[in-house]
Amino acid sequence: MKEFKIGLNAKLDMLKFRDLGINREKEINKASKEIKNNDFQLNDLVKIMHPNGIRVEVTKIIKETDDTKSFYLKPLSIDTMPPFQSGAYITLLVSIDKRTYKRAYSISSSPSSLNEYRITIKKDGNGIVSNYMFNTCAIGDKFNILGPFGNFTYQSLRDQKDVVFIAGGSGITPFMAYLQDEKFLNKINSLTLFYGAKSEFDLIFKKEIDEIKNKNNKIKVIYVLSEQKRDGYSYGLIDEEKLLKEKLDNKSIFISGPIKMYFYLNEIFKKLDIPNKYIRHEIFKEIPENLTDKTFNLTIKMLDKIITIPCKGNETLINSMEKNRVKTLVHCTVGVCGFCRSKLVKGNVLTENTFLRAADKDYYYIHPCVTYPLSDVIIEIPIK
Amino acid sequence: MKDNEFDTIVIGAGNGGLTAALTLQKKGKKVLLLDKGRVPGGFASSFVRGRFEFEASLHELCEYGDESNPGEVYEIFKELGIAKSLETKIIPETFCVYETSTNSYYEMPIGEEKFLEKMESYVPNSKESMTIFFSLCKEVQAAFKYFNETKGHPDSQVLMEKFPRFMVVAPYPVEKVLKEIKMPLRARQILETYWSYLGSPASKLSFAHYASMIYSYIIKGPVILNKNSHQISLALSEEFENSGGTVKYLTGVREILVNNNEVEGIITKDNQKFLTKHIISNISPNVVFEKLIKKENVPLRANQLLNTRILGARGICIYLGLNKTMEELGLKNYSYFIYQTLNSDIEYKRMHSIYNGNLVATLKNYGKDSSILCITSLVFGDEFTRLVNKENYFEIKEKIAEHFVSSFEKNLNVNIKDAIEEIEIATPLTFARYGGHPDGVIYGYLATSYDNLLPRIMTEEQEIFIKGLRFCGGFGSRLSGYSSAYINGHQEALKTLGEDF
Ligand SMILES: Cc1cc2nc3c(=O)[nH]c(=O)nc-3n(C[C@H](O)[C@H](O)[C@H](O)COP(=O)(O)OP(=O)(O)OC[C@H]3O[C@@H](n4cnc5c(N)ncnc54)[C@H](O)[C@@H]3O)c2cc1C
Ligand code: FES
């Protein structure tokens, strides 16, 4: 090949090559020696949208039903609450006897009122936090919360303009945000809410829902009572017949309620051949059957110490850690968000791994919030 | 050596940091690796929604190949002992590119011969220039190899004798060299398709850099991972720990301690102090010099360099889990570049606006009856930053996603929306949140004439403003991209080994 050149001749090109570094030097020499105060706006917005925890104060408590109360949380550490999308939840940190418990609660207030969030908690059997909140929490109490988080949100691109909400009991909470969400209501054509409870006295927010419905003719509400027959209410379960009356074709169905209700509905949807795409459900924990109440040792390798605590076969590793005053990394509590991701170093466990990354499974990672011990267990968590 | 003393501290467990940390640990050094997040990899990660696991950032890995035809990254992973544990797949095509303004479409295969022939079929009489192009590529690759072997201190005599044509083309941008070898316009534009991967138009992008990248894609094939880039990140991180390295996640660095212009150690956000004489930073020089080092310890020249630099591309990604297979959708390729025009200067200007229509998409089957489509759009400049606030953020995010998915549908004449089962939308805000980089930049600094690959490599040693402080990863000397970050992390580790301990 003849002489290869780009510029006038190859020699000059080579000199140019040598100058690459020198030109850069010159450019640097020209620049100012002072750093212009570069505060990156978007990084600041991150802090507003996703603060690292919020200190809140309870400003109002409303008893909604015999076993359910709403709590209004005002921010102390920031001016207004971070914006959220309807369907989001927060993680509430509650200290009882010097132990810190973390539980997820859907935000039941409107996404457009950010002076406070409202959460609504139903007493859950002997549940620790729900009973504490119901019985002990008082106005003026202060808590830390994390979030908002979650994917139980309406997405215009994926979801249909005709929407069905199915709520069971306290599962109504995320839908309360939706019902007050003007932007959401403007996006859709119709909304049918099925709301199931034992009796009319167990319907949380009935008055609020009726008021909203009366003002907006897109919204239709069907209350279904399972243990009480009464005029104006449907009776029984939210079953195939009742659902079909409202025509489900090409509608997006959002479900929030007890896991049993979800399984029951899912059978119906399978039978009706409704694709997954049309069904969204709030996350919840399935408690496995036949757990033992044996006590094992749980050893936790933390960043700078190793500790061993007792843990029962019928409690998740996270629950045992909470009870034994070990710090936890928890957001959703139900195995979905991945925040508690930890390495299983040794031992047998019963665990739910649907939401683990494929490679994480290969390296024995688990979500301890949905993991039960079957033997002594060693795990590794990046906390102090 | 005391417990809190290390030979090297690596800040940030992204692609560069992980590789650097593991390389040094394997060479017998005592290494501490820190990351503010919980999971290794930085952007090289994945996330689960419903029944889908989405790749967070990797489109395709360059310089990889496979055991029989290994690229530079493969060789590094082999040396580090992780190559065997990765489940990789070579994509049989390089790219397909659409020019929407003219309704043109080009699909390019892998393999030098096939690429050449396909180009000839699209652009008659391109063969001769393409042949010259490939021979230049080979010389560029060999020259880079020599650069590596000499750890960035090449002997100019050797360069001139062995790689004269490399020396000739190296100072020039892609466009200039391709014009000079008389490549027909359309062939040039097709060949330049990957320009957006490097985030600079062909009139600015270093020829040597571009040539080495596209040539590697053509002869080794683009590679993806069956279990996503998270598998690489995890393999590197686990191997680092198994080799005796100390890794601390959820441990952000608050301050880098400097004394007499030398690195002394770091203080973490939770006030732990670790001592070292060598730091490799996987986080950007902006954050290091503006936030982590006390102002009085920052050399003015570091400020000057920062002031010459321009932040590179921001990204918007829409991750879609579809309930149809590629066959059902009627699409057969993995990677799609959709430009309004193949003129990268015009396109680059348009890409300073968010709704520019430029898309890079990847599509793969997922399980038996579904697929994953990831649509990415690059944005230069700070329009997004200026546009969003806490009131409109969700709305804008939704609007952008709607715009991009519609545009993909229209240009490829497919129906995507009816198949969407899961969706996640990442904006520069998302990347700022997870990566911590200024304004959510994903491509490091913009490649400009004085700030592209060669000037960066050639001045790297003289730009160590604080003794013992090096940078790796997307903001490092090899610019952004997976292969660059791995290679650069490896090299920074080797260079650190050459310093006094
Ligand atoms: C995303 C999300 C949103 C949520 N939103 C809401 C909401 O809006 N409102 C709401 O009320 N709840 C909500 N929950 C549920 C809530 O997070 C808590 O799970 C609930 O309040 C129970 O917490 P607890 O501490 O009282 O019960 P836990 O102490 O966690 O106990 C859970 C259950 O186990 C039973 N149990 C406890 N100990 C034992 C034992 N030794 N043997 C057998 N059984 C035992 C309890 O009786 C209880 O039924 C939500 C959950 C999620 C994941
Ligand atoms: S806390 Fe969400 S997965 Fe465990």
Side-chain angles (χ1 to χ4, degrees):
Chain A
M1 204 190 290
K2 62 180 173 24
E3 187 197 45
F4 189 81
K5 65 179 178 58
I6 308 283
L8 288 174
N9 66 53
K11 283 229 165 56
L12 283 178
D13 287 333
M14 292 201 188
L15 286 179
K16 246 187 135 166
F17 174 82
R18 284 198 200 157
D19 285 348
L20 284 174
I22 297 165
N23 289 341
R24 181 179 170 91
E25 288 256 295
K26 282 186 190 152
E27 201 67 35
I28 297 173
N29 290 340
K30 278 194 286 184
S32 150
K33 293 187 167 122
E34 285 302 308
I35 278 294
K36 38 185 184 319
N37 206 3
N38 258 340
D39 272 331
F40 292 104
Q41 261 182 58
L42 207 57
N43 302 64
D44 293 341
L45 187 57
V46 168
K47 286 180 204 147
I48 295 172
M49 302 290 289
H50 305 284
N52 272 333
I54 309 166
R55 185 87 182 144
V56 297
E57 179 179 341
V58 176
T59 56
K60 190 157 85 173
I61 301 177
I62 305 274
K63 190 169 175 194
E64 306 281 1
T65 67
D66 274 354
D67 59 4
T68 305
K69 282 183 179 175
S70 285
F71 303 84
Y72 290 76
L73 311 174
K74 187 184 91 176
L76 297 175
S77 55
I78 46 179
D79 293 338
T80 54
M81 288 295 207
F84 68 96
Q85 285 179 291
S86 294
Y89 70 88
I90 53 127
T91 306
L92 179 71
L93 278 62
V94 180
S95 294
I96 309 170
D97 295 337
K98 299 214 170 73
R99 296 169 172 89
T100 302
Y101 299 92
K102 297 181 186 168
R103 297 292 183 269
Y105 293 101
S106 303
I107 305 174
S108 65
S109 51
S110 162
S112 58
S113 54
L114 298 175
N115 290 330
E116 310 185 299
Y117 285 169
R118 176 180 68 180
I119 57 171
T120 305
I121 303 181
K122 184 182 158 152
K123 267 204 297 192
D124 182 359
N126 298 320
I128 300 170
V129 170
S130 59
N131 277 283
Y132 175 86
M133 290 302 286
F134 192 88
N135 299 324
T136 314
C137 174
I139 290 175
D141 284 3
K142 297 183 179 71
F143 297 95
N144 289 328
I145 65 169
L146 305 171
F149 306 117
N151 297 305
F152 192 54
T153 51
Y154 181 86
Q155 295 277 352
S156 308
L157 263 178
R158 176 196 60 208
D159 299 320
Q160 306 300 299
K161 284 184 179 296
D162 295 294
V163 181
V164 176
F165 286 166
I166 306 179
S170 63
I172 190 69
T173 48
F175 296 137
M176 289 315 293
Y178 276 106
L179 287 172
Q180 301 168 78
D181 182 346
E182 289 302 326
K183 282 181 188 151
F184 161 72
L185 293 171
N186 285 336
K187 277 180 210 160
I188 60 163
N189 293 336
S190 77
L191 169 61
T192 309
L193 167 66
F194 286 93
Y195 182 10
K198 283 185 193 147
S199 76
E200 63 176 318
F201 307 106
D202 296 300
L203 289 168
I204 317 166
F205 302 122
K206 169 137 194 324
K207 211 172 131 221
E208 224 173 290
I209 295 170
D210 285 341
E211 271 167 23
I212 294 168
K213 176 192 72 181
N214 292 338
K215 273 190 283 183
N216 190 329
N217 57 14
K218 281 183 189 174
I219 304 174
K220 177 171 180 183
V221 181
I222 298 156
Y223 297 109
V224 184
L225 305 179
S226 62
E227 294 178 6
Q228 187 193 23
K229 281 193 174 163
R230 235 190 115 86
D231 282 353
Y233 299 87
S234 271
Y235 174 70
L237 297 176
I238 303 172
D239 55 19
E240 188 177 338
E241 194 195 323
K242 293 189 188 77
L243 288 167
L244 283 180
K245 253 193 221 155
E246 299 304 318
K247 297 220 172 47
L248 299 179
D249 296 346
N250 291 319
K251 293 185 178 175
S252 281
I253 305 168
F254 287 69
I255 306 167
S256 168
I259 192 151
K260 276 198 189 123
M261 178 182 94
Y262 173 67
F263 286 148
Y264 174 78
L265 290 170
N266 227 17
E267 286 306 309
I268 298 177
F269 298 144
K270 254 192 215 135
K271 201 176 124 198
L272 298 175
D273 233 1
I274 297 178
N276 273 334
K277 166 181 165 61
Y278 295 107
I279 304 166
R280 317 293 313 164
H281 60 82
E282 183 46 301
I283 49 178
F284 27 52
K285 175 150 53 187
E286 191 187 347
I287 299 174
E289 283 166 25
N290 305 326
L291 295 169
T292 76
D293 57 2
K294 268 199 205 138
T295 301
F296 302 103
N297 284 323
L298 168 61
T299 301
I300 304 148
K301 291 179 148 177
M302 309 213 281
L303 280 177
D304 33 23
K305 59 177 180 273
I306 299 177
I307 56 167
T308 298
I309 57 170
C311 79
K312 279 164 85 178
N314 58 7
E315 279 177 351
T316 64
L317 303 184
I318 291 288
N319 285 147
S320 303
M321 288 164 69
E322 287 182 338
K323 287 190 176 160
N324 288 283
R325 303 193 173 116
V326 180
K327 201 169 150 193
T328 58
L329 294 172
V330 167
H331 287 169
C332 74
T333 71
V334 287
V336 178
C337 75
F339 197 72
C340 63
R341 174 183 176 272
S342 307
K343 189 164 186 175
L344 177 66
V345 181
K346 205 174 161 192
N348 296 323
V349 295
L350 183 67
T351 191
E352 166 60 51
N353 66 9
T354 320
F355 295 97
L356 275 173
R357 301 175 182 94
D360 278 342
K361 290 179 200 170
D362 295 345
Y363 287 95
Y364 303 106
Y365 281 85
I366 53 167
H367 290 162
C369 66
V370 286
T371 300
Y372 300 83
L374 296 171
S375 70
D376 288 352
V377 171
I378 304 177
I379 61 172
E380 207 175 276
I381 308 187
I383 45 175
K384 282 173 200 92
Chain B
M1 198 172 270
K2 284 193 212 132
D3 272 0
N4 74 337
E5 234 177 285
F6 291 86
D7 288 320
T8 305
I9 296 179
V10 178
I11 309 175
N15 290 336
L18 282 166
T19 313
L22 179 55
T23 304
L24 283 163
Q25 189 65 36
K26 288 252 163 173
K27 298 276 182 193
K29 294 294 173 196
K30 185 184 174 199
V31 183
L32 172 65
L33 172 62
L34 302 166
D35 198 289
K36 74 179 174 65
R38 289 174 305 116
V39 187
F43 293 149
S45 190
S46 66
F47 58 91
V48 178
R49 292 285 179 275
R51 61 194 174 99
F52 296 90
E53 178 177 335
F54 293 98
E55 165 64 46
S57 65
L58 177 64
H59 282 175
E60 38 204 19
L61 186 54
C62 190
E63 281 295 343
Y64 199 78
D66 57 18
E67 201 173 353
S68 63
N69 183 18
E72 198 176 345
V73 175
Y74 188 97
E75 299 283 9
I76 292 172
F77 285 178
K78 196 168 142 192
E79 174 198 320
L80 296 178
I82 68 152
K84 282 232 156 62
S85 59
L86 304 178
E87 297 158 56
T88 56
K89 187 174 136 190
I90 294 179
I91 303 288
E93 81 252 0
T94 44
F95 54 78
C96 44
V97 58
Y98 293 73
E99 184 177 54
T100 59
S101 57
T102 59
N103 247 327
S104 325
Y105 163 77
Y106 309 95
E107 185 184 324
M108 302 305 289
I110 59 171
E112 208 173 310
E113 273 309 302
K114 284 192 195 143
F115 196 95
L116 205 83
E117 274 158 30
K118 196 72 185 276
M119 189 66 102
E120 183 68 20
S121 77
Y122 287 132
V123 190
N125 301 321
S126 60
K127 203 163 187 169
E128 196 183 334
S129 55
M130 281 299 296
T131 311
I132 302 174
F133 172 72
F134 281 138
S135 79
L136 287 177
C137 287
K138 275 182 210 133
E139 190 167 319
V140 165
Q141 281 213 327
F144 276 132
K145 201 159 171 233
Y146 173 68
F147 262 82
N148 285 350
E149 283 161 8
T150 55
K151 302 207 172 79
H153 296 292
D155 179 330
S156 52
Q157 210 52 42
V158 175
L159 274 176
M160 273 195 282
E161 272 163 29
K162 283 197 168 161
F163 313 106
R165 293 190 307 164
F166 166 78
M167 302 275 283
V168 168
V169 295
Y172 294 102
V174 178
E175 187 184 83
K176 177 101 179 158
V177 177
L178 296 185
K179 267 186 186 161
E180 201 56 38
I181 63 174
K182 306 209 164 44
M183 190 175 286
L185 175 65
R186 188 70 341 182
R188 223 166 70 204
Q189 292 179 330
I190 296 172
L191 194 64
E192 289 163 1
T193 292
Y194 280 131
W195 71 269
S196 60
Y197 269 6
L198 298 179
S200 243
S203 61
K204 300 260 164 53
L205 197 59
S206 147
F207 174 81
H209 188 192
Y210 190 75
S212 86
M213 176 181 84
I214 190 170
Y215 190 59
S216 162
Y217 275 134
I218 293 170
I219 61 167
K220 311 260 188 251
V223 160
I224 61 170
L225 283 104
N226 295 342
K227 293 180 179 169
N228 299 316
S229 60
H230 179 63
Q231 191 181 39
I232 304 179
S233 308
L234 205 45
L236 288 167
S237 166
E238 298 279 325
E239 187 64 24
F240 174 67
E241 282 194 85
N242 290 340
S243 314
T246 308
V247 55
K248 290 183 192 286
Y249 290 108
L250 287 175
T251 308
V253 170
R254 202 188 69 209
E255 190 183 336
I256 294 179
L257 301 169
V258 174
N259 189 12
N260 253 334
N261 222 33
E262 282 183 35
V263 154
E264 265 194 336
I266 57 123
I267 297 177
T268 64
K269 287 201 171 134
D270 54 0
N271 289 322
Q272 299 179 78
K273 191 170 173 179
F274 297 103
L275 302 176
T276 189
K277 285 186 185 156
H278 307 272
I279 289 179
I280 299 180
S281 170
N282 196 177
I283 52 183
S284 68
N286 281 77
V287 173
V288 166
F289 290 118
E290 290 171 32
K291 307 248 146 92
L292 300 187
I293 298 178
K294 281 217 174 81
K295 207 169 170 188
E296 63 262 29
N297 289 329
V298 176
L300 296 180
R301 204 150 171 85
N303 286 346
Q304 281 184 299
L305 176 57
L306 280 189
N307 284 335
T308 68
R309 304 191 108 163
I310 302 164
L311 292 175
R314 284 77 166 166
I316 293 166
C317 292
I318 299 146
Y319 308 91
L320 301 166
L322 305 178
N323 67 5
K324 287 203 173 84
T325 60
M326 295 168 71
E327 294 72 26
E328 285 168 326
L329 292 168
L331 294 172
K332 63 181 196 328
N333 295 95
Y334 172 73
S335 107
Y336 305 81
F337 287 78
I338 303 169
Y339 295 126
Q340 204 196 33
T341 158
L342 297 193
N343 178 325
S344 61
D345 276 321
I346 298 179
E347 196 71 12
Y348 173 74
K349 276 202 198 97
R350 297 183 61 249
M351 282 160 71
H352 284 71
S353 142
I354 295 173
Y355 301 102
N356 56 57
N358 156 300
L359 304 176
V360 182
T362 60
L363 175 66
K364 62 183 181 195
N365 274 333
Y366 192 77
K368 281 195 207 80
D369 54 1
S370 11
S371 56
I372 287 182
L373 173 65
C374 176
I375 302 176
T376 302
S377 180
L378 294 181
V379 191
F380 295 96
D382 59 356
E383 191 189 78
F384 184 84
T385 306
R386 284 184 279 113
L387 192 68
V388 293
N389 54 47
K390 67 177 178 159
E391 279 82 29
N392 66 11
Y393 177 66
F394 295 125
E395 255 171 283
I396 286 191
K397 191 168 157 175
E398 195 166 58
K399 196 168 143 201
I400 289 174
E402 159 68 37
H403 177 80
F404 288 152
V405 175
S406 297
S407 151
F408 185 86
E409 284 185 319
K410 193 179 98 211
N411 290 312
L412 271 69
N413 198 16
V414 283
N415 179 336
I416 297 298
K417 285 179 193 157
D418 287 346
I420 302 175
E421 183 174 320
E422 293 293 341
I423 176 167
E424 192 57 66
I425 306 159
T427 68
L429 185 109
T430 319
F431 292 111
R433 178 184 179 195
Y434 288 105
H437 298 311
D439 270 356
V441 160
I442 53 173
Y443 275 19
Y445 297 115
L446 195 69
T448 60
S449 58
Y450 55 86
D451 199 15
N452 66 40
L453 184 64
L454 281 161
R456 287 194 200 182
I457 295 184
M458 291 161 83
T459 55
E460 199 180 342
E461 295 308 300
Q462 73 205 53
E463 284 178 11
I464 294 182
F465 301 124
I466 292 175
K467 195 175 164 212
L469 175 61
R470 292 176 174 276
F471 290 91
C472 72
F475 286 84
S477 60
R478 307 268 315 200
L479 290 90
S480 77
Y482 271 67
S483 52
S484 299
Y486 292 129
I487 295 169
N488 170 237
H490 186 62
Q491 286 173 351
E492 295 309 320
L494 297 180
K495 286 181 194 159
T496 300
L497 273 179
E499 299 171 352
D500 337 317
F501 277 86

